[in-house]
Amino acid sequence: MNINRIFYIAKLTIPIATAYVPLGLALGVFMVSSGVQWFWAPVAALVIFAGSIEFLVVSFILAGLPLATVAWTTLIVNFRHIFYGLSFPLKSLRTPLQKLYGIFALTDETYGITCTSEGKKLTGAEISLLQVIRVC
């Protein structure tokens, strides 16, 4: 993969990156204003890896919900990813590691990019790079 392709893939993620900045700030403000320590916002963003659940977890923490309730709610909220997986170009991902990471890192944004006309032209390695760049 040449450097021009890498820049092209990075360019595809720019709209997502610009949306993540205010979203991350909103999560931080919401957590701190709810009485949760500030450092939990970046921890939640790194560990939870699901935007809507990151906001819900504040209420879960404050309510002291049991882990089973949190897991069930997370499953219900993110159930749409099963349908994403049906049309995600998993066949383009060649190695077992690419497939495993491709499934793990499948988000609304990654799905949206890979299903557009430009995204449909990406190879498996480019899709993996897209997902790595998007997480960073």
Side-chain angles (χ1 to χ4, degrees):
M1 186 177 334
N2 66 33
I3 194 73
N4 290 335
R5 284 304 281 175
I6 293 171
F7 282 128
Y8 172 73
I9 293 164
K11 189 174 94 172
L12 289 175
T13 66
I14 290 172
I16 296 167
T18 58
Y20 278 178
V21 172
L23 207 64
L25 290 171
L27 176 64
V29 169
F30 180 54
M31 282 191 153
V32 170
S33 66
S34 297
V36 178
Q37 293 291 323
W38 70 268
F39 58 85
W40 287 112
V43 170
L46 290 171
V47 176
I48 296 173
F49 202 64
S52 51
I53 297 299
E54 290 171 7
F55 284 90
L56 286 174
V57 81
V58 176
S59 301
F60 295 165
I61 291 169
L62 296 175
L65 293 179
L67 188 57
T69 304
V70 174
W72 177 250
T73 304
T74 302
L75 176 68
I76 297 301
V77 169
N78 289 318
F79 191 73
R80 68 190 181 280
H81 288 262
I82 291 172
F83 299 102
Y84 289 170
L86 296 174
S87 59
F88 184 71
L90 196 59
K91 62 187 174 300
S92 298
L93 305 175
R94 302 211 182 261
T95 68
L97 183 60
Q98 277 183 323
K99 289 181 188 224
L100 184 64
Y101 186 73
I103 292 167
F104 168 74
L106 178 58
T107 61
D108 300 335
E109 298 83 11
T110 303
Y111 180 78
I113 291 172
T114 58
C115 290
T116 63
S117 59
E118 293 298 315
K120 288 181 179 179
K121 300 173 189 171
L122 298 176
T123 66
E126 291 171 340
I127 291 170
S128 295
L129 179 61
L130 173 83
Q131 289 180 306
V132 168
I133 290 171
R134 200 210 54 74
V135 170
C136 297

